[in-house]
Amino acid sequence: MAYDLLLRAVTVVDGSGAGPYIADVAVGGDRIRAIGNLAGQAAQRVIHGNGRYLMPGFIDVHTHDDTNVIDNPQMLAKISQGVTTVIVGNCGISASPVSLPGIPPDPLNLLGTQEAFVYPTFQHYVDAVERACPSVNVAALIGHTALRANVMTQFDRPAAAEELVQMCTALQGALEAGAIGLSSGLAYTNAKQAPVSELQPLVDIVGAYGSLYTTHMRNEHDGVLESLAESFSTARLAGADLVISHLKCAGAGNWGRAPLVLAALEKAAGEQACNCDCYPYACSSTTLDAWRVDGTMEIYITWSDPYPQMARQTLKEIAAQWGVDQWQATERLRPAGAIYSMMSEDDVRTILAHPLSMIGSDGLPADPNPHPRLWGTFPRVLAHYCRDLQLFTLAEAVRKMTGMPAARFRLQDRGVVRVGAFADLTLVDMTRIEDVATYSDPCRQAPGIDLVVVNGAVSYENGQVSGRQGRLLKRQPVASNPLPG
Ligand code: ZN
Ligand code: CU
């Protein structure tokens, strides 16, 4: 039998955390068919390893690509990094199931204007993704703020009992239709007033479906430990798997606490299924909001609806030009987006290196001046943190981007190089890979990602998208009593 694709003498890093080994890998249809010494075997196409590494395609566990996978199905920013699956719907923000009566409330506006929200049910979203056929696979969380926006017009209060019932019904419908879990963004003004008693019934549903809860916590600053405790408790009571989104120690007064925060995560992980995700940068990026402004931290404006011409300057510079303080400038600029210098590099490294952390870009594709994490996250982990700084072994770096996320998000037969698994693969030249996306020039394709295969189809090579075979990955029904792991 001739295979479709044969990768000869590649150094396999299989995603499990095991050390690299040299082998031939054969692909037929959408699966990996054979691994080993395949001398004498034929294939439609043969590619020689020449010292390059074959890894499972990366799983970007934290994205805001909900509408982007439909509007820009080439998904160049992601597939060019070797990403083959994106998890959308993080931080309480999802494109479905949402019908908006007016302009999208912050931070739903990170996904686009009101016209972007045309998926009143999750099934509408599934159909749109399948019609668009993006180059990468998509698995979707449902956002708590999105559920609120569906039934509430004012967000500075808890959901009323009847509103909560509607939110629960919408969530349940979405899970039935294949959504993989729930996300929250409790730090944001429009979700902050949701008490635990609003979250718990929603997370309970997620638990009953054997799926997961991810949370951009209420407080990543001085209240980070209390917020972690709240997240652990909510998920544990529900029997839901938990992912703490972009774990960090935010704000200069909070720097140096990464070991404390990780100790709390480790302790919880002894009792319940939980992990965190993180991006490999010391600056964060999201909408501009007055409570985030402290007058000293550098804040770089990436977009502003009323003053688009003020983008690409710091808030301090803008305030000086206008002769106002930074809070007044913030109010004038909003709705707006910003990059915040709010973490210490030491904390970033400590969290990145921890065995419970996975990699998620948190890239913002709708931002005209995006944070470089949108294009650079995975090359930066491989080139800068793994190869150059040796923060972790290559096997561990790859596990954080493949095997661990596939297990936590229950993406069956993905995130691993194994016979029978889906052929989602990335061929990397570790001598050439470089982290080239920067704050001043963020939309740069990394060199060294030589070939990307999605569901068996060569989908990226020579720096270009060459195929679009991504699928919508639905929640896998689980056997009873699946928890914890
Ligand atoms: Zn977030
Ligand atoms: Cu996010």
Side-chain angles (χ1 to χ4, degrees):
M1 180 189 85
Y3 297 111
D4 294 324
L5 177 65
L6 184 54
L7 297 136
R8 283 216 189 276
V10 286
T11 305
V12 176
V13 185
D14 72 5
S16 70
Y21 63 93
I22 296 176
D24 304 329
V25 175
V27 173
D30 61 3
R31 304 268 179 164
I32 297 169
R33 299 294 172 187
I35 302 174
N37 182 348
L38 305 175
Q41 303 277 355
Q44 305 281 354
R45 185 167 174 198
V46 177
I47 290 166
H48 292 274
N50 294 330
R52 293 178 293 183
Y53 289 80
L54 188 72
M55 308 171 183
F58 307 139
I59 298 168
D60 188 348
V61 297
H62 191 119
T63 86
H64 298 287
D65 285 325
D66 301 56
T67 49
N68 199 39
V69 293
I70 296 163
D71 298 340
N72 297 297
Q74 297 235 342
M75 289 296 291
L76 184 62
K78 293 296 167 71
I79 199 160
S80 66
Q81 298 182 57
V83 169
T84 57
T85 298
V86 295
I87 310 288
V88 304
N90 278 282
C91 297
I93 310 162
S94 62
S96 82
V98 179
S99 6
L100 290 179
I103 54 165
D106 179 308
L108 252 58
N109 54 6
L110 289 175
L111 294 185
T113 56
Q114 191 183 357
E115 292 87 80
F117 294 88
V118 291
Y119 315 105
T121 68
F122 186 69
Q123 189 59 47
H124 284 88
Y125 182 73
V126 171
D127 293 343
V129 172
E130 289 180 342
R131 231 178 296 125
C133 196
S135 68
V136 297
N137 301 309
V138 181
L141 299 161
I142 299 302
H144 162 249
T145 307
L147 293 174
R148 293 192 116 209
N150 227 6
V151 296
M152 298 166 69
T153 47
Q154 268 207 288
F155 305 97
D156 54 353
R157 58 169 178 88
E162 62 277 17
E163 290 165 340
L164 187 51
V165 169
Q166 291 175 48
M167 290 162 67
C168 286
T169 307
L171 174 62
Q172 205 161 349
L175 292 170
E176 289 286 349
I180 62 163
L182 174 78
S183 77
S184 67
L186 301 175
Y188 290 99
T189 303
N190 290 325
K192 248 193 183 71
Q193 301 306 324
V196 174
S197 58
E198 177 179 323
L199 269 303
Q200 192 68 56
L202 293 163
V203 182
D204 284 347
I205 292 173
V206 163
Y209 276 81
S211 55
L212 100 173
Y213 173 50
T214 75
T215 178
H216 175 162
M217 297 187 294
R218 226 175 260 287
N219 190 319
E220 297 177 320
H221 292 72
D222 52 352
V224 63
L225 289 172
E226 292 78 359
S227 284
L228 278 168
E230 175 188 332
S231 311
F232 298 145
S233 153
T234 309
R236 190 172 52 239
L237 288 171
D241 292 6
L242 176 70
V243 175
I244 304 293
S245 295
H246 40 60
L247 185 63
K248 62 171 78 76
C249 300
N254 204 29
W255 290 355
R257 296 177 76 200
L260 259 176
V261 162
L262 289 165
L265 182 67
E266 258 174 49
K267 181 163 178 286
E271 292 151 17
Q272 66 192 104
C274 62
N275 290 87
C276 67
D277 67 58
C278 57
Y279 46 81
Y281 298 87
C283 292
S284 68
S285 182
T286 185
T287 49
L288 180 66
D289 204 338
W291 71 267
R292 296 178 186 274
V293 177
D294 67 4
T296 53
M297 169 183 33
E298 182 164 296
I299 299 176
Y300 177 81
I301 303 302
T302 61
W303 59 273
S304 161
D305 276 352
Y307 294 97
Q309 71 277 15
M310 301 312 272
R312 301 179 64 92
Q313 302 180 76
T314 65
L315 183 62
K316 191 175 167 194
E317 288 162 352
I318 296 168
Q321 285 165 52
W322 284 344
V324 299
D325 69 27
Q326 293 195 24
W327 291 272
Q328 290 167 314
T330 295
E331 284 321 308
R332 281 199 207 172
L333 288 164
R334 272 168 47 84
I339 292 174
Y340 301 84
S341 309
M342 56 139 77
M343 288 167 259
S344 84
E345 177 66 21
D346 272 359
D347 284 336
V348 170
R349 290 184 190 182
T350 305
I351 293 170
L352 268 178
H354 194 275
L356 289 170
S357 72
M358 306 180 283
I359 307 301
S361 70
D362 204 5
L364 301 173
D367 194 321
N369 296 294
H371 186 299
R373 65 196 186 187
L374 176 63
W375 288 78
T377 289
F378 295 85
R380 184 166 167 85
V381 167
L382 289 175
H384 181 62
Y385 285 112
C386 177
R387 182 195 61 205
D388 298 346
L389 296 182
Q390 300 183 353
L391 191 60
F392 27 57
T393 63
L394 184 58
E396 177 65 0
V398 173
R399 185 181 76 91
K400 286 175 173 295
M401 308 191 293
T402 60
M404 184 171 16
R408 176 53 68 235
F409 288 82
R410 300 192 184 171
L411 306 176
Q412 225 165 44
D413 295 336
R414 305 212 181 248
V416 60
V417 178
R418 166 176 43 74
V419 173
F422 286 102
D424 288 351
L425 299 165
T426 293
L427 186 66
V428 182
D429 184 339
M430 284 300 292
T431 63
R432 281 177 43 245
I433 192 165
E434 222 50 75
D435 156 38
V436 292
T438 61
Y439 290 97
S440 53
D441 190 9
C443 302
R444 294 271 310 277
Q445 260 171 269
I449 302 290
D450 287 355
L451 187 85
V452 183
V453 176
V454 181
N455 294 313
V458 172
S459 299
Y460 177 82
E461 63 179 323
N462 302 319
Q464 280 173 340
V465 178
S466 56
R468 278 169 35 202
Q469 295 291 330
R471 297 177 188 166
L472 194 294
L473 308 181
K474 294 187 179 174
R475 183 181 64 84
Q476 299 285 327
V478 283
S480 56
N481 197 20
L483 296 172

